[in-house]
Amino acid sequence: MSIARHLEHLAQIGSPIECAKMTMLGGDHDPPIVVGTGTITPASSTRFEYRLQGMPANVGHALQSLRRLDSDPYDGRLRSRLTATSVAGEELICGWTEPSVVLGEGLWTFTGSIEALSTHEVGTFEPGIECVFLLPRHHTARVVLRRFLEPAASGGQSGVTLEVLGSRIHIELDDERGELCIRASGSDSMQPTLLENWVGEPLRILFGQPVYPRFVARRSGDWKMNWVRPSPQWSETTDHVALWQGLYQYTEQERFWLAYRRLLAHIARADGFEAHRLTALYEELIDAGRGSRWVWALTYASTAEAILDIIGLPGTPRADLSDDQHDDLGAELRAFSAFMDGWDGSYTIAEAAKRAVARLPQTSATQALRALVSQGVVDPDQFTAWNTLRNRVMHGNLVSPYSSAKDDKLLLDLAGLSRALTWHLIDIEADENSR
């Protein structure tokens, strides 16, 4: 059974989950704040609301625990935690919360919101994960995946299977329900605790949307954890962020899955629990896409430099200088430094001058982009857009809020630059790891 079918009774928007027991917890090893009964209701695809009624066994302890967060509002570990047992006997872990409390003569009423629900199973399981993503019916991503994940012929298996760093990844689309399911086996490089997050990151980059799984299962030996997680709404206003776009986005099936596989491998090699830096940059672009044209330009210009940094070009020896020119420049810099050391003027100015010229042998972002233009990686118009807008937006000059052919081309070329650099990043890493 799909994890979505296993957990969908916990995700029906507006349908309360009746709980025979609800427990509000404070610090580790402390007694509960309160134990009572109540309901948990899925309010949207990103939030659950709960209502707990009960009387604390120790009023002083309850009030003190509820005020723990006041001592340091930035320490999320000082929040309360909620667990529950449904009337059907299902044990639910509800996570962190900041409850509101109404004191009554008999029972106290605790209300608030949580982001996710999870359950725990014991048994024998093959290590791996299953994630189910919700797809809007009419979005471009749904059309792309519908074409690239065709239903199986009679007796066959639907979807596509990929091999990434020792993990077998199977992806299939339930078009009727609007669900994309990714199942992946664990490996030495693809641990289930990280893989459940990694498999969705390439989709956020490829589609320029907040693609997060609604249903997740993590299997590890003798236990299994299941989640109903927040799945944000998509918006067509951020489609320009998508890496996967263009004239052939509905036909280049092989290139699409190659991009997914390479992005996933790049993300996994970084071996991080949080989103990879490249994914985080695309998440910033998604957020900026809902803002003004100035915010858009500012974020895209910064993203281009950040991707150059991931590639590793800025700060490297300049490729436009021969070995003899590097030697000559080094000698001139040493002579300049010696001259400034003997200068009678301001020490502060002398040191600033030495730091400025010391960067001359190193590749700057501008020089790196010019080199990529000469290699055909970056389009000249994309470089022009970045060079035109970068200093303007970085120094507080607003981009016109009104659309014109000239300004729109600059913004679209700037967006195209981030895509070109991303393709270059995943292509060169694939080449390096194939040697």
Side-chain angles (χ1 to χ4, degrees), residues 191-312:
Q191 296 296 324
T193 50
L194 300 173
L195 187 54
E196 66 194 41
N197 296 324
W198 289 345
V199 295
E201 291 190 42
L203 299 176
R204 298 206 284 280
I205 295 171
L206 286 164
F207 295 130
Q209 296 293 338
V211 187
Y212 294 89
R214 180 58 166 163
F215 305 102
V216 176
R218 180 203 301 165
R219 305 181 305 273
S220 183
D222 57 0
W223 56 266
K224 177 183 176 185
M225 290 290 292
N226 305 313
W227 284 270
V228 181
R229 291 186 179 178
S231 179
Q233 296 294 312
W234 295 19
S235 171
E236 293 184 356
T237 60
T238 68
D239 282 350
H240 57 81
V241 176
L243 179 64
W244 190 254
Q245 56 179 278
L247 294 175
Y248 304 105
Q249 64 179 325
Y250 299 119
T251 57
E252 292 192 331
Q253 179 174 350
E254 183 177 348
R255 178 65 168 160
F256 178 85
W257 293 119
L258 180 66
Y260 178 89
R261 190 169 67 246
R262 288 181 173 179
L263 282 168
L264 181 56
H266 179 75
I267 290 162
R269 287 190 183 101
D271 197 27
F273 182 78
E274 300 293 340
H276 186 275
R277 186 181 178 193
L278 180 64
T279 312
L281 290 171
Y282 271 79
E283 290 169 355
E284 290 292 333
L285 290 174
I286 292 169
D287 289 339
R290 301 184 178 95
S292 69
R293 292 160 65 89
W294 183 54
V295 171
W296 185 18
L298 186 69
T299 309
Y300 267 112
S302 300
T303 294
E305 291 196 51
I307 298 176
L308 284 173
D309 187 54
I310 295 174
I311 294 172

Side-chain angles (χ1 to χ4, degrees), residues 12 16-17 32 81-82 115 137 142 152 158 167 192 197 200 210 258 328 331 340 371 404 426 429:
Q12 299 295 326
I17 304 166
R81 291 165 295 160
L82 184 66
E115 291 186 345
R137 175 165 294 278
R142 181 84 166 266
S158 62
S167 175
N197 296 324
L258 180 66
D328 291 343
M340 295 307 298
S404 69
I426 60 178
E429 178 169 288

